[in-house]
Amino acid sequence: TLVHMPPVQDHKRAYVGDTGPNTGGMGSYSCEDHLLPFMTQEHVAAACAINEAMARALKAESGGDGFKGILYGAFMCLNRGVGCIKFNARFGVPEALNVLALLESDLAAIFEAISAGTLSPALVSFARQATVVKYACPFGYPDAPLKNQAINISSLQNPAGLFLAAVDEANGQLLATGSRTAAVVARANTVAEAEARVEAEVRRISGSVFHRPDIGTTEVLMKRVVHQRQVRRIRIGVVGSTRGSSLQPILYAIRDGRINASIEVVVSNVASAYILQRARVNNLKTVHIVGK
């Protein structure tokens, strides 16, 4: 039995705007509808099918024993569909904070059912809410981080949403030891609400640490949506020899957003064809091919 968890989007780049070096993950978000802004139910179904195929393969390769535990799949939405980058036999980081913040079931009971082979979807329930996670990291992370620098978390208003990571304690001080220092997670009815709560809280961690204030913001979410529209855009070439009356409805549909496409070139074997003129007034590339 395989029970799927809600999808989560992480942010690997260290700096604002998805720039800078790659990291283990600077933060992540999940949406209240258990989708992501750029995903459809078909994408989720495709990812679930890959999960199920992996579970079947593990069972076949183990002589029927199968795998008991957590599988974390990293997926990408491509122009040809959903692709899988890798599987880890563990929770994702920081994605675990998102999904566990949504979990309404008893985690110990779930682990017991996994061990006993009695896991079922009825045992696992996730809230229909959104989550946002942001990490505070020492300056210089990930390439040359400051180490053993004191941080202060006494101003946090919701300590239950704080998860300490690479820290130590000495002489009554909490020290950031060099990797990701602490994560803050919030759950709310919308991503915007959860982001606002997390941002306010992570700012209360003082010391030589930084975080990405843009994770979970509308600007970053829309950037992902625009990128996915570009990835999935259909590139069209049009061939015609007459007035191009069939070209105009395609142009209107593209401009109105009814189809996600771009016309790359219009080709005709008649130099004076109106279809070429119609293309030129719409700033499209035209090619005249001389006939035999």
Side-chain angles (χ1 to χ4, degrees):
T1 301
L2 187 66
V3 179
H4 306 282
M5 292 181 273
V8 180
Q9 167 80 66
D10 72 338
H11 293 268
K12 293 296 187 186
R13 297 289 184 170
Y15 306 148
V16 168
D18 290 323
T19 59
N22 271 324
T23 71
M26 294 296 293
S28 47
Y29 68 90
S30 67
C31 298
E32 62 274 13
D33 59 0
H34 291 187
L35 293 173
L36 293 171
F38 52 84
M39 292 179 68
T40 65
Q41 288 290 355
E42 288 75 19
H43 291 119
V44 173
C48 290
I50 294 172
N51 287 339
E52 291 159 4
M54 173 60 76
R56 289 193 299 271
L58 289 172
K59 187 171 184 177
E61 291 183 7
S62 63
D65 292 334
F67 171 80
K68 293 182 178 181
I70 303 297
L71 281 179
Y72 150 56
F75 299 93
M76 289 184 69
C77 292
L78 309 169
N79 60 1
R80 62 179 182 273
V82 174
C84 182
I85 302 172
K86 64 177 181 178
F87 274 98
N88 288 325
R90 59 170 174 80
F91 280 108
V93 180
E95 298 90 344
L97 296 176
N98 300 90
V99 296
L100 292 179
L102 293 171
L103 184 65
E104 296 185 319
S105 308
D106 185 336
L107 185 59
I110 293 172
F111 288 158
E112 288 176 357
I114 291 173
S115 178
T118 58
L119 180 68
S120 71
L123 288 174
V124 186
S125 176
F126 294 96
R128 285 283 181 171
Q129 287 189 295
T131 62
V132 174
V133 173
K134 298 189 185 188
Y135 264 104
C137 304
F139 283 116
Y141 174 81
D143 295 330
L146 296 176
K147 296 184 178 181
N148 299 317
Q149 300 294 306
I151 63 167
N152 190 321
I153 60 173
S154 62
S155 296
L156 268 66
Q157 295 184 1
N158 180 30
L162 174 72
F163 293 85
L164 296 174
V167 297
D168 198 358
E169 189 174 9
N171 301 320
Q173 287 187 315
L174 198 61
L175 305 179
T177 57
S179 190
R180 289 174 292 181
T181 305
V184 177
V185 59
R187 169 177 148 178
N189 290 329
T190 66
V191 175
E193 292 175 20
E195 189 280 325
R197 293 179 187 178
V198 164
E199 181 61 23
E201 193 77 334
V202 75
R203 290 182 186 184
R204 298 186 177 104
I205 301 174
S206 60
S208 298
V209 292
F210 74 100
H211 71 282
R212 278 192 53 179
D214 59 336
I215 290 175
T217 61
T218 300
E219 179 184 1
V220 169
L221 268 61
M222 289 309 301
K223 183 178 178 181
R224 289 284 193 275
V225 172
V226 170
H227 174 71
Q228 281 298 313
R229 282 188 60 83
Q230 292 172 343
V231 168
R232 299 171 196 162
R233 182 170 294 161
I234 302 169
R235 301 174 68 188
I236 299 174
V238 179
V239 178
S241 60
T242 55
R243 295 179 297 122
S245 55
S246 60
L247 172 63
Q248 195 61 54
I250 300 174
L251 291 170
Y252 287 148
I254 292 172
R255 290 193 183 125
D256 294 345
R258 287 179 282 123
I259 60 173
N260 181 23
S262 62
I263 297 177
E264 302 297 318
V265 64
V266 178
V267 180
S268 179
N269 63 341
V270 179
S272 59
Y274 284 128
I275 192 171
L276 295 180
Q277 297 184 39
R278 193 184 297 272
R280 292 184 189 113
V281 300
N282 284 280
N283 197 30
L284 298 175
K285 180 181 178 181
T286 60
V287 174
H288 169 229
I289 299 177
V290 179
K292 294 183 179 178

